[in-house]
Amino acid sequence: MANYLEFEKPLAEIEDKAEELRAMARANDEMDIESEAKALDQKAADLLVEMYSSLTPWRKCQVARHPDRPHCKDYIDALFTEYTPLAGDRNFADDHAIMGGLARLNGTPVMVIGHEKGNDTKSRIERNFGMARPEGYRKAIRLMELADKFGIPVVTLVDTPGAYPGKGAEERGQSEAIARSTQKCLQIGVPLISVVIGEGGSGGAVAFAAANKVVMLEHSIYSVITPEGCASILWKDAEKMREAAEAMRLTAQDLRELGVNDEIIPEPTGGAHRDSQKAIEAVGKVIEKHIKMLSKKDSEALIKERRKKFLELGAKGLAA
């Protein structure tokens, strides 16, 4: 069964009605209601286009968090061949919220690293809902260093509500690990492409996204805090998340205007979760394009351009 979001309830009613008619026809061969079912299908398709042509920032947050949206593992399985996972930070443990390893993208060797949320209760608990601990960021640092040593492009897939804020994570140096991961992104002399495939939450996302090219899916979000967290701080009321989402300018379209991301990848009508294969293929083409373009530049140019890109973002913020 499809998982419908709150604002998709009218769509759910139409699609359920069409399915009921078809179920009745299957139970009674003499009934011919295909024309009525097709009319409902068309009505649902038109409503879907209308809904997704003007999503509010809060609705985009809901789409970005959709449980059926393709996650890091889905992208790795579909796009990359010869994927060899690399585990552990060589210091404390392996963090299952972070996936990473060597692979090939259409024959090109790459190091792929990303947040994995999981797709059912068991895997979500195992993956800690995509919230990494310090050992996850230190694993990412280790993999980026390895890629830099052998001249392999790095691809990061960002999808996290933020770094894990638990007591153990803080004791093991969560903020330091995030800062060093961000620093490592800025230091490596190989192409670094980051794709925000769902949520880009706080420093937990920036730690993977200080890249030469930051790309966002059409209905993904990227912000310093969740709308609920922002509303709790500013208005002492998490229920004001809609107002917070509007004010935060966290959508891919707003961030493109601000120069935070470099490209927006269109999603299938109704979001990436309605046609995962099409969405994943689109992401693969964009990653491949940027790897080819960036691979023409030497290490010094890649590092210089990357640092300049983020320093200028800070200057724009001060000017505003």
Side-chain angles (χ1 to χ4, degrees), residues 133-144:
R133 296 176 170 87
E135 48 271 24
Y137 294 107
R138 290 176 181 135
K139 172 166 72 173
I141 292 168
R142 184 172 73 83
L143 300 192
M144 283 190 273

Side-chain angles (χ1 to χ4, degrees), residues 76-77 79-88 90 94 98-105 108-114 139 142-143 146 152:
I76 290 175
D77 290 345
L79 292 178
F80 300 93
T81 56
E82 299 181 40
Y83 173 65
T84 304
L86 299 173
R90 299 296 186 268
D94 184 40
I98 302 297
M99 293 184 68
L102 292 162
R104 291 184 185 272
L105 178 63
T108 302
V110 297
M111 182 70 78
V112 58
I113 307 167
K139 172 166 72 173
R142 184 172 73 83
L143 300 192
L146 188 64
I152 300 170

Side-chain angles (χ1 to χ4, degrees), residues 13-25 30-45:
E13 291 174 4
I14 298 171
E15 292 186 340
D16 287 348
K17 185 63 177 176
E19 183 53 37
E20 284 177 20
L21 288 174
R22 290 193 168 95
M24 290 168 61
E30 294 180 3
M31 294 183 68
D32 184 11
I33 53 176
E34 188 57 29
S35 60
E36 289 88 341
K38 284 185 177 178
L40 287 172
D41 288 341
Q42 186 58 52
K43 186 177 180 181

Side-chain angles (χ1 to χ4, degrees), residues 196 200 214 216 220-224 248-264 313:
V196 182
V214 178
M216 294 182 68
S220 63
I221 58 171
Y222 190 17
S223 63
V224 70
M248 289 167 67
R249 302 196 69 184
L250 45 59
T251 68
Q253 293 72 25
D254 283 334
L255 295 170
R256 183 72 193 94
E257 287 182 18
L258 294 170
V260 173
N261 71 51
D262 300 290
E263 185 175 349
I264 297 173
L313 280 178

